[in-house]
Amino acid sequence: MTAISEFTLLLPGDPVPKGRPRVYRGHAVTPKRTVQAENRLEAEFRRKYPQTAPYQCPVRLDAEFWMSHKGRPDLDNLLKLVLDGLNGVAYLDDKQVVETHAFKRVPDPWAYGAHGRYRKRKSGDPYTSCGHEYEPHLYVRVRPLPEWTPTV
């Protein structure tokens, strides 16, 4: 197995939040969309880092969620999916994640129009954040924190 100083992943497309499990006849069932998104994240990790062992020390996780729409989902549900999706592959267990930094970007409400003025954003306009174009995606970085010690 190979030791890597940090893991990075970029998944194109709209980030997916962790869905609430539904209970059927006393059994909790994870929504199919959540399972597919977690499997996609794990598969991409294994494709990019095939011979890598998960970190066994405390880690920091950075996540950027570049969305195609405003409003839902909440940042915490987006982050939960990443934490669970990388369980067992980037780190042994998500309890090792002792530090996080996450942000969610949504498209600007205004777009630059053909007449040189800003107008309300319409369907089909490019996605922009602070005037800079982007495509919806998820970016994740996981770094070990071997010097980390808990404070009492």
Side-chain angles (χ1 to χ4, degrees):
M1 295 279 184
T2 308
I4 305 269
S5 62
E6 72 177 26
F7 300 127
T8 60
L9 290 176
L10 187 128
L11 272 75
D14 239 350
V16 177
K18 178 92 175 183
R20 294 186 189 275
R22 305 292 181 218
V23 178
Y24 300 101
R25 297 186 190 143
H27 297 282
V29 178
T30 303
K32 199 178 289 187
R33 184 173 181 228
T34 296
V35 172
Q36 290 171 341
E38 287 176 348
N39 289 343
R40 179 179 177 223
L41 187 59
E42 180 182 343
E44 180 60 22
F45 184 91
R46 290 189 188 280
R47 185 195 65 73
K48 188 170 180 183
Y49 303 104
Q51 299 297 318
T52 306
Y55 291 131
Q56 296 181 20
C57 59
V59 298
R60 173 189 167 116
L61 186 137
D62 299 308
E64 300 176 9
F65 303 96
W66 295 81
M67 310 300 290
S68 67
H69 58 280
K70 294 182 357 179
R72 291 186 173 215
D74 294 342
L75 182 60
D76 63 327
N77 292 326
L78 290 163
L79 190 55
K80 281 179 202 171
L81 186 123
V82 172
L83 289 168
D84 290 347
L86 293 176
N87 233 356
V89 291
Y91 35 79
L92 295 174
D93 191 271
D94 58 5
K95 68 182 176 187
Q96 291 170 246
V97 180
V98 297
E99 192 176 316
T100 61
H101 178 261
F103 68 81
K104 175 176 90 168
R105 291 287 185 264
V106 297
D108 294 330
W110 301 94
Y112 198 66
H115 301 291
R117 285 183 266 165
Y118 282 97
R119 58 168 171 73
K120 283 194 174 187
R121 191 179 173 302
K122 297 179 186 174
S123 177
D125 284 340
Y127 302 110
T128 59
S129 177
C130 297
H132 299 284
E133 281 191 40
Y134 70 90
E135 288 297 320
H137 67 278
L138 163 65
Y139 175 77
V140 179
R141 181 172 67 181
V142 181
R143 294 183 293 164
L145 296 174
E147 72 284 350
W148 183 86
T149 53
T151 56
V152 180

